[in-house]
Amino acid sequence: MNRDEALQLVKPHLTDHRYEHTIGVTDTAIELAKMYGADVKKTEIAAIFHDYAKFRPKDEMRQIVKEHGLSNDLLDYSTELLHAPVGAILVKREIGINDEDILNAIHYHTSGRPNMTIIEKCVFLADYIEPGRKFPGVEEVRELSREDLDKAIVQSLKNTVNFLMKKNQPVYPATLDTYNNLVKA
Ligand code: DGI
Ligand code: FE
Ligand code: FE
């Protein structure tokens, strides 16, 4: 599947704004993949489909989490978390992508996980720093992304955890596990 075919497949599932975000994530993920030695083609396809399930009804996503025996604690945190693991399942089922490296990069793009592959890291970080993102502190993470992939991810996780805590939102344990794994490394 080439870039244009993939984009045509994902477009009907996204809003215009989310489609623009997807292009930003894809171009950024490719740059990171070239810089840090990930498979560029797989990274590109994972980035194109990373938010495939973003607009599925919450009930459908909860159902899929249960059917597939995904970690039950997913349902105890923000429903915003569900589109990543559910996206991996739906991209396999509806698009027919079977490559585990691609599916894992989609699955873990929101929380990360300990010992992420380089493809997973490139998609995770690109989602945070793509040119359309305006979070406070994003520029610092963009600069770090050119020096050290792990340090950039640690900084993005710090910002996300701080953001969630300021709003009194729960932090998903995998997000903290990812942070701990990378600061200990
Ligand atoms: O899908 P995107 O908007 O492009 O970005 P994303 O997949 O990183 O999702 C961001 C959303 O997920 C945002 O609303 C914050 C939320 N989120 C990220 N990490 C955590 C989280 N929510 C909780 N409760 N816990 C987390 O660790
Ligand atoms: Fe997402
Ligand atoms: Fe995204």
Side-chain angles (χ1 to χ4, degrees), residues 18 21 25 50-51 54 77-81 83-84 109-111 124 127 133 135 160-161 163-164 167 169-176:
R18 185 64 36 181
H21 162 73
V25 173
H50 84 283
D51 275 338
K54 188 80 179 173
Y77 293 86
S78 166
T79 52
E80 277 298 320
L81 295 168
H83 76 281
H109 86 263
T110 302
S111 64
F124 179 93
D127 192 24
R133 294 298 207 190
F135 311 128
T160 298
V161 170
F163 165 82
L164 292 167
K167 294 203 305 170
Q169 300 237 350
V171 180
Y172 185 51
T175 304
L176 292 169

mmCIF file of all heavy atoms in Angstrom, residues 18 21 25 50-51 54 77-81 83-84 109-111 124 127 133 135 160-161 163-164 167 169-176, ligand 1:
data_model
loop_
_atom_site.group_PDB
_atom_site.id
_atom_site.type_symbol
_atom_site.label_atom_id
_atom_site.label_comp_id
_atom_site.label_asym_id
_atom_site.label_seq_id
_atom_site.Cartn_x
_atom_site.Cartn_y
_atom_site.Cartn_z
ATOM 1 N N ARG A 18 -8.542 16.670 11.665
ATOM 2 C CA ARG A 18 -7.805 15.459 12.063
ATOM 3 C C ARG A 18 -7.014 14.898 10.885
ATOM 4 O O ARG A 18 -5.952 14.321 11.061
ATOM 5 C CB ARG A 18 -8.827 14.444 12.598
ATOM 6 C CG ARG A 18 -8.298 13.169 13.182
ATOM 7 C CD ARG A 18 -7.446 13.285 14.422
ATOM 8 N NE ARG A 18 -7.813 14.313 15.365
ATOM 9 C CZ ARG A 18 -7.155 14.550 16.494
ATOM 10 N NH1 ARG A 18 -6.128 13.816 16.850
ATOM 11 N NH2 ARG A 18 -7.537 15.521 17.277
ATOM 12 N N HIS A 21 -3.911 16.945 10.750
ATOM 13 C CA HIS A 21 -3.054 16.439 11.839
ATOM 14 C C HIS A 21 -2.345 15.150 11.390
ATOM 15 O O HIS A 21 -1.143 14.973 11.614
ATOM 16 C CB HIS A 21 -3.909 16.210 13.084
ATOM 17 C CG HIS A 21 -3.305 15.310 14.125
ATOM 18 N ND1 HIS A 21 -2.258 15.702 14.936
ATOM 19 C CD2 HIS A 21 -3.597 14.029 14.491
ATOM 20 C CE1 HIS A 21 -1.940 14.690 15.757
ATOM 21 N NE2 HIS A 21 -2.732 13.663 15.508
ATOM 22 N N VAL A 25 1.552 14.371 11.311
ATOM 23 C CA VAL A 25 2.165 13.263 12.055
ATOM 24 C C VAL A 25 2.974 12.391 11.092
ATOM 25 O O VAL A 25 4.095 11.969 11.406
ATOM 26 C CB VAL A 25 1.090 12.415 12.782
ATOM 27 C CG1 VAL A 25 1.711 11.170 13.419
ATOM 28 C CG2 VAL A 25 0.369 13.246 13.835
ATOM 29 N N HIS A 50 -2.808 6.125 12.500
ATOM 30 C CA HIS A 50 -2.733 6.114 13.977
ATOM 31 C C HIS A 50 -4.042 6.561 14.639
ATOM 32 O O HIS A 50 -4.404 6.055 15.689
ATOM 33 C CB HIS A 50 -1.521 6.925 14.482
ATOM 34 C CG HIS A 50 -1.767 8.391 14.600
ATOM 35 N ND1 HIS A 50 -1.783 9.255 13.523
ATOM 36 C CD2 HIS A 50 -2.038 9.167 15.686
ATOM 37 C CE1 HIS A 50 -2.041 10.480 13.942
ATOM 38 N NE2 HIS A 50 -2.204 10.453 15.247
ATOM 39 N N ASP A 51 -4.765 7.502 14.039
ATOM 40 C CA ASP A 51 -6.025 7.977 14.643
ATOM 41 C C ASP A 51 -7.262 7.434 13.902
ATOM 42 O O ASP A 51 -8.340 8.034 13.964
ATOM 43 C CB ASP A 51 -6.056 9.515 14.666
ATOM 44 C CG ASP A 51 -5.352 10.097 15.888
ATOM 45 O OD1 ASP A 51 -5.202 9.393 16.906
ATOM 46 O OD2 ASP A 51 -4.949 11.287 15.820
ATOM 47 N N LYS A 54 -10.440 7.331 15.929
ATOM 48 C CA LYS A 54 -10.665 8.510 16.791
ATOM 49 C C LYS A 54 -12.155 8.885 16.907
ATOM 50 O O LYS A 54 -12.596 9.362 17.945
ATOM 51 C CB LYS A 54 -9.872 9.682 16.212
ATOM 52 C CG LYS A 54 -9.833 10.926 17.077
ATOM 53 C CD LYS A 54 -8.817 10.844 18.189
ATOM 54 C CE LYS A 54 -8.799 12.127 19.003
ATOM 55 N NZ LYS A 54 -7.927 12.026 20.195
ATOM 56 N N TYR A 77 -10.259 4.514 32.723
ATOM 57 C CA TYR A 77 -9.616 5.822 32.525
ATOM 58 C C TYR A 77 -10.341 6.571 31.421
ATOM 59 O O TYR A 77 -11.424 6.183 31.016
ATOM 60 C CB TYR A 77 -8.120 5.624 32.244
ATOM 61 C CG TYR A 77 -7.408 5.072 33.455
ATOM 62 C CD1 TYR A 77 -7.368 3.700 33.687
ATOM 63 C CD2 TYR A 77 -6.835 5.924 34.391
ATOM 64 C CE1 TYR A 77 -6.746 3.187 34.817
ATOM 65 C CE2 TYR A 77 -6.206 5.422 35.525
ATOM 66 C CZ TYR A 77 -6.171 4.053 35.728
ATOM 67 O OH TYR A 77 -5.562 3.555 36.848
ATOM 68 N N SER A 78 -9.738 7.658 30.944
ATOM 69 C CA SER A 78 -10.397 8.484 29.933
ATOM 70 C C SER A 78 -10.757 7.677 28.676
ATOM 71 O O SER A 78 -9.954 6.865 28.201
ATOM 72 C CB SER A 78 -9.442 9.612 29.562
ATOM 73 O OG SER A 78 -9.878 10.240 28.387
ATOM 74 N N THR A 79 -11.947 7.925 28.135
ATOM 75 C CA THR A 79 -12.323 7.245 26.892
ATOM 76 C C THR A 79 -11.406 7.677 25.736
ATOM 77 O O THR A 79 -11.335 6.998 24.714
ATOM 78 C CB THR A 79 -13.785 7.550 26.487
ATOM 79 O OG1 THR A 79 -13.964 8.963 26.489
ATOM 80 C CG2 THR A 79 -14.771 6.910 27.436
ATOM 81 N N GLU A 80 -10.697 8.795 25.933
ATOM 82 C CA GLU A 80 -9.720 9.241 24.921
ATOM 83 C C GLU A 80 -8.637 8.191 24.667
ATOM 84 O O GLU A 80 -7.996 8.187 23.620
ATOM 85 C CB GLU A 80 -9.043 10.535 25.385
ATOM 86 C CG GLU A 80 -9.831 11.783 25.095
ATOM 87 C CD GLU A 80 -10.034 11.990 23.599
ATOM 88 O OE1 GLU A 80 -9.110 11.739 22.806
ATOM 89 O OE2 GLU A 80 -11.142 12.395 23.219
ATOM 90 N N LEU A 81 -8.419 7.316 25.658
ATOM 91 C CA LEU A 81 -7.363 6.306 25.499
ATOM 92 C C LEU A 81 -7.758 5.200 24.527
ATOM 93 O O LEU A 81 -6.899 4.523 23.975
ATOM 94 C CB LEU A 81 -7.051 5.658 26.856
ATOM 95 C CG LEU A 81 -6.452 6.565 27.923
ATOM 96 C CD1 LEU A 81 -6.482 5.851 29.274
ATOM 97 C CD2 LEU A 81 -5.026 6.935 27.550
ATOM 98 N N HIS A 83 -9.171 4.942 21.537
ATOM 99 C CA HIS A 83 -9.019 4.957 20.075
ATOM 100 C C HIS A 83 -7.682 4.370 19.603
ATOM 101 O O HIS A 83 -7.576 3.960 18.452
ATOM 102 C CB HIS A 83 -9.208 6.372 19.510
ATOM 103 C CG HIS A 83 -8.022 7.276 19.731
ATOM 104 N ND1 HIS A 83 -7.764 7.894 20.928
ATOM 105 C CD2 HIS A 83 -7.020 7.655 18.903
ATOM 106 C CE1 HIS A 83 -6.658 8.616 20.821
ATOM 107 N NE2 HIS A 83 -6.190 8.496 19.599
ATOM 108 N N ALA A 84 -6.701 4.298 20.497
ATOM 109 C CA ALA A 84 -5.391 3.787 20.060
ATOM 110 C C ALA A 84 -5.407 2.253 19.956
ATOM 111 O O ALA A 84 -5.213 1.704 18.857
ATOM 112 C CB ALA A 84 -4.293 4.309 20.983
ATOM 113 N N HIS A 109 0.132 4.398 20.559
ATOM 114 C CA HIS A 109 0.507 5.778 20.215
ATOM 115 C C HIS A 109 0.071 6.809 21.254
ATOM 116 O O HIS A 109 0.605 7.913 21.291
ATOM 117 C CB HIS A 109 0.013 6.159 18.801
ATOM 118 C CG HIS A 109 -1.390 6.677 18.743
ATOM 119 N ND1 HIS A 109 -2.479 5.903 18.417
ATOM 120 C CD2 HIS A 109 -1.894 7.924 18.964
ATOM 121 C CE1 HIS A 109 -3.573 6.640 18.428
ATOM 122 N NE2 HIS A 109 -3.247 7.874 18.771
ATOM 123 N N THR A 110 -0.878 6.481 22.114
ATOM 124 C CA THR A 110 -1.344 7.474 23.096
ATOM 125 C C THR A 110 -0.607 7.354 24.427
ATOM 126 O O THR A 110 -0.147 8.361 24.971
ATOM 127 C CB THR A 110 -2.863 7.353 23.311
ATOM 128 O OG1 THR A 110 -3.519 7.540 22.057
ATOM 129 C CG2 THR A 110 -3.376 8.404 24.287
ATOM 130 N N SER A 111 -0.491 6.149 24.951
ATOM 131 C CA SER A 111 0.142 5.959 26.273
ATOM 132 C C SER A 111 1.629 5.646 26.167
ATOM 133 O O SER A 111 2.366 5.817 27.134
ATOM 134 C CB SER A 111 -0.537 4.800 27.011
ATOM 135 O OG SER A 111 -0.332 3.580 26.319
ATOM 136 N N PHE A 124 4.738 7.848 18.268
ATOM 137 C CA PHE A 124 4.340 8.480 19.535
ATOM 138 C C PHE A 124 4.796 9.941 19.567
ATOM 139 O O PHE A 124 4.012 10.850 19.853
ATOM 140 C CB PHE A 124 4.950 7.703 20.714
ATOM 141 C CG PHE A 124 4.609 8.285 22.050
ATOM 142 C CD1 PHE A 124 3.502 7.832 22.757
ATOM 143 C CD2 PHE A 124 5.368 9.307 22.597
ATOM 144 C CE1 PHE A 124 3.159 8.390 23.982
ATOM 145 C CE2 PHE A 124 5.027 9.876 23.821
ATOM 146 C CZ PHE A 124 3.927 9.420 24.517
ATOM 147 N N ASP A 127 3.210 12.348 16.942
ATOM 148 C CA ASP A 127 1.849 12.730 17.325
ATOM 149 C C ASP A 127 1.877 13.960 18.236
ATOM 150 O O ASP A 127 1.009 14.816 18.170
ATOM 151 C CB ASP A 127 1.195 11.537 18.049
ATOM 152 C CG ASP A 127 -0.297 11.697 18.241
ATOM 153 O OD1 ASP A 127 -0.931 12.448 17.470
ATOM 154 O OD2 ASP A 127 -0.833 11.048 19.161
ATOM 155 N N ARG A 133 0.548 21.113 16.277
ATOM 156 C CA ARG A 133 0.402 21.074 17.737
ATOM 157 C C ARG A 133 0.861 22.385 18.372
ATOM 158 O O ARG A 133 1.927 22.911 18.023
ATOM 159 C CB ARG A 133 1.241 19.931 18.322
ATOM 160 C CG ARG A 133 0.780 18.544 17.945
ATOM 161 C CD ARG A 133 -0.604 18.230 18.441
ATOM 162 N NE ARG A 133 -0.773 16.775 18.647
ATOM 163 C CZ ARG A 133 -1.933 16.197 18.898
ATOM 164 N NH1 ARG A 133 -3.045 16.904 18.959
ATOM 165 N NH2 ARG A 133 -1.983 14.895 19.087
ATOM 166 N N PHE A 135 0.720 22.860 22.015
ATOM 167 C CA PHE A 135 0.781 22.723 23.476
ATOM 168 C C PHE A 135 1.865 23.626 24.059
ATOM 169 O O PHE A 135 2.914 23.815 23.429
ATOM 170 C CB PHE A 135 1.188 21.299 23.906
ATOM 171 C CG PHE A 135 0.441 20.173 23.273
ATOM 172 C CD1 PHE A 135 1.131 19.121 22.664
ATOM 173 C CD2 PHE A 135 -0.942 20.121 23.316
ATOM 174 C CE1 PHE A 135 0.458 18.049 22.107
ATOM 175 C CE2 PHE A 135 -1.619 19.046 22.757
ATOM 176 C CZ PHE A 135 -0.922 18.017 22.147
ATOM 177 N N THR A 160 2.413 15.936 29.397
ATOM 178 C CA THR A 160 1.072 15.334 29.375
ATOM 179 C C THR A 160 0.595 15.019 30.785
ATOM 180 O O THR A 160 -0.553 15.317 31.140
ATOM 181 C CB THR A 160 1.083 14.050 28.511
ATOM 182 O OG1 THR A 160 1.433 14.401 27.178
ATOM 183 C CG2 THR A 160 -0.275 13.371 28.510
ATOM 184 N N VAL A 161 1.485 14.438 31.596
ATOM 185 C CA VAL A 161 1.101 14.096 32.975
ATOM 186 C C VAL A 161 0.777 15.373 33.758
ATOM 187 O O VAL A 161 -0.225 15.434 34.479
ATOM 188 C CB VAL A 161 2.209 13.263 33.658
ATOM 189 C CG1 VAL A 161 1.945 13.104 35.149
ATOM 190 C CG2 VAL A 161 2.312 11.888 32.998
ATOM 191 N N PHE A 163 -0.281 18.196 32.531
ATOM 192 C CA PHE A 163 -1.540 18.702 31.974
ATOM 193 C C PHE A 163 -2.724 17.953 32.580
ATOM 194 O O PHE A 163 -3.712 18.559 33.011
ATOM 195 C CB PHE A 163 -1.480 18.545 30.452
ATOM 196 C CG PHE A 163 -2.795 18.675 29.735
ATOM 197 C CD1 PHE A 163 -3.308 19.929 29.422
ATOM 198 C CD2 PHE A 163 -3.519 17.551 29.355
ATOM 199 C CE1 PHE A 163 -4.522 20.051 28.746
ATOM 200 C CE2 PHE A 163 -4.729 17.659 28.684
ATOM 201 C CZ PHE A 163 -5.241 18.916 28.383
ATOM 202 N N LEU A 164 -2.616 16.634 32.658
ATOM 203 C CA LEU A 164 -3.715 15.834 33.210
ATOM 204 C C LEU A 164 -3.893 16.137 34.689
ATOM 205 O O LEU A 164 -5.025 16.298 35.171
ATOM 206 C CB LEU A 164 -3.440 14.339 32.998
ATOM 207 C CG LEU A 164 -3.484 13.855 31.547
ATOM 208 C CD1 LEU A 164 -2.892 12.447 31.431
ATOM 209 C CD2 LEU A 164 -4.917 13.858 31.006
ATOM 210 N N LYS A 167 -5.669 19.296 35.542
ATOM 211 C CA LYS A 167 -7.131 19.214 35.346
ATOM 212 C C LYS A 167 -7.780 18.164 36.261
ATOM 213 O O LYS A 167 -8.948 17.823 36.078
ATOM 214 C CB LYS A 167 -7.438 18.860 33.881
ATOM 215 C CG LYS A 167 -7.011 19.967 32.920
ATOM 216 C CD LYS A 167 -7.775 19.900 31.604
ATOM 217 C CE LYS A 167 -7.663 18.542 30.949
ATOM 218 N NZ LYS A 167 -8.582 18.398 29.805
ATOM 219 N N GLN A 169 -7.294 15.064 36.283
ATOM 220 C CA GLN A 169 -7.652 13.869 35.515
ATOM 221 C C GLN A 169 -6.757 12.718 35.937
ATOM 222 O O GLN A 169 -5.603 12.930 36.293
ATOM 223 C CB GLN A 169 -7.420 14.151 34.032
ATOM 224 C CG GLN A 169 -8.249 15.296 33.518
ATOM 225 C CD GLN A 169 -9.124 14.879 32.363
ATOM 226 O OE1 GLN A 169 -8.983 13.791 31.833
ATOM 227 N NE2 GLN A 169 -10.038 15.741 31.992
ATOM 228 N N PRO A 170 -7.273 11.503 35.882
ATOM 229 C CA PRO A 170 -6.420 10.361 36.215
ATOM 230 C C PRO A 170 -5.336 10.167 35.146
ATOM 231 O O PRO A 170 -5.540 10.521 33.991
ATOM 232 C CB PRO A 170 -7.392 9.181 36.201
ATOM 233 C CG PRO A 170 -8.525 9.607 35.335
ATOM 234 C CD PRO A 170 -8.619 11.103 35.443
ATOM 235 N N VAL A 171 -4.229 9.622 35.566
ATOM 236 C CA VAL A 171 -3.149 9.298 34.627
ATOM 237 C C VAL A 171 -3.138 7.782 34.443
ATOM 238 O O VAL A 171 -3.077 7.026 35.414
ATOM 239 C CB VAL A 171 -1.779 9.774 35.149
ATOM 240 C CG1 VAL A 171 -0.677 9.425 34.146
ATOM 241 C CG2 VAL A 171 -1.807 11.275 35.407
ATOM 242 N N TYR A 172 -3.197 7.352 33.212
ATOM 243 C CA TYR A 172 -3.223 5.918 32.894
ATOM 244 C C TYR A 172 -1.870 5.299 33.275
ATOM 245 O O TYR A 172 -0.819 5.846 32.915
ATOM 246 C CB TYR A 172 -3.510 5.765 31.402
ATOM 247 C CG TYR A 172 -3.697 4.343 30.927
ATOM 248 C CD1 TYR A 172 -4.581 3.487 31.566
ATOM 249 C CD2 TYR A 172 -2.996 3.869 29.828
ATOM 250 C CE1 TYR A 172 -4.760 2.186 31.121
ATOM 251 C CE2 TYR A 172 -3.169 2.576 29.370
ATOM 252 C CZ TYR A 172 -4.052 1.738 30.032
ATOM 253 O OH TYR A 172 -4.224 0.460 29.591
ATOM 254 N N PRO A 173 -1.881 4.184 34.013
ATOM 255 C CA PRO A 173 -0.606 3.617 34.485
ATOM 256 C C PRO A 173 0.424 3.373 33.386
ATOM 257 O O PRO A 173 1.620 3.574 33.617
ATOM 258 C CB PRO A 173 -1.036 2.298 35.144
ATOM 259 C CG PRO A 173 -2.435 2.563 35.609
ATOM 260 C CD PRO A 173 -3.037 3.466 34.569
ATOM 261 N N ALA A 174 -0.001 2.973 32.197
ATOM 262 C CA ALA A 174 0.971 2.718 31.124
ATOM 263 C C ALA A 174 1.743 3.986 30.752
ATOM 264 O O ALA A 174 2.914 3.925 30.355
ATOM 265 C CB ALA A 174 0.275 2.145 29.889
ATOM 266 N N THR A 175 1.084 5.128 30.891
ATOM 267 C CA THR A 175 1.764 6.397 30.595
ATOM 268 C C THR A 175 2.905 6.605 31.590
ATOM 269 O O THR A 175 4.025 6.978 31.211
ATOM 270 C CB THR A 175 0.751 7.565 30.690
ATOM 271 O OG1 THR A 175 -0.338 7.289 29.808
ATOM 272 C CG2 THR A 175 1.376 8.893 30.328
ATOM 273 N N LEU A 176 2.627 6.336 32.868
ATOM 274 C CA LEU A 176 3.668 6.470 33.892
ATOM 275 C C LEU A 176 4.732 5.382 33.748
ATOM 276 O O LEU A 176 5.917 5.642 33.965
ATOM 277 C CB LEU A 176 3.028 6.391 35.289
ATOM 278 C CG LEU A 176 2.143 7.595 35.633
ATOM 279 C CD1 LEU A 176 1.334 7.324 36.894
ATOM 280 C CD2 LEU A 176 2.990 8.850 35.801
HETATM 281 O O1 DGI B 1 -5.465 11.430 19.321
HETATM 282 P P1 DGI B 1 -4.659 12.695 19.471
HETATM 283 O O2 DGI B 1 -5.486 13.859 19.966
HETATM 284 O O3 DGI B 1 -3.898 13.051 18.241
HETATM 285 O O4 DGI B 1 -3.539 12.447 20.607
HETATM 286 P P2 DGI B 1 -3.453 11.234 21.633
HETATM 287 O O5 DGI B 1 -3.699 9.953 20.953
HETATM 288 O O6 DGI B 1 -2.151 11.402 22.349
HETATM 289 O O7 DGI B 1 -4.652 11.455 22.644
HETATM 290 C C1 DGI B 1 -4.626 12.579 23.467
HETATM 291 C C2 DGI B 1 -5.750 12.467 24.476
HETATM 292 O O8 DGI B 1 -5.521 11.363 25.377
HETATM 293 C C3 DGI B 1 -5.846 13.703 25.343
HETATM 294 O O9 DGI B 1 -7.243 13.973 25.524
HETATM 295 C C4 DGI B 1 -5.252 13.312 26.658
HETATM 296 C C5 DGI B 1 -5.518 11.841 26.701
HETATM 297 N N1 DGI B 1 -4.482 11.114 27.436
HETATM 298 C C6 DGI B 1 -3.211 10.905 27.057
HETATM 299 N N2 DGI B 1 -2.533 10.227 27.985
HETATM 300 C C7 DGI B 1 -3.400 9.972 28.983
HETATM 301 C C8 DGI B 1 -4.647 10.543 28.638
HETATM 302 N N3 DGI B 1 -5.725 10.467 29.428
HETATM 303 C C9 DGI B 1 -5.591 9.837 30.614
HETATM 304 N N4 DGI B 1 -6.642 9.737 31.415
HETATM 305 N N5 DGI B 1 -4.427 9.275 31.017
HETATM 306 C C10 DGI B 1 -3.306 9.316 30.253
HETATM 307 O O10 DGI B 1 -2.275 8.798 30.648
#
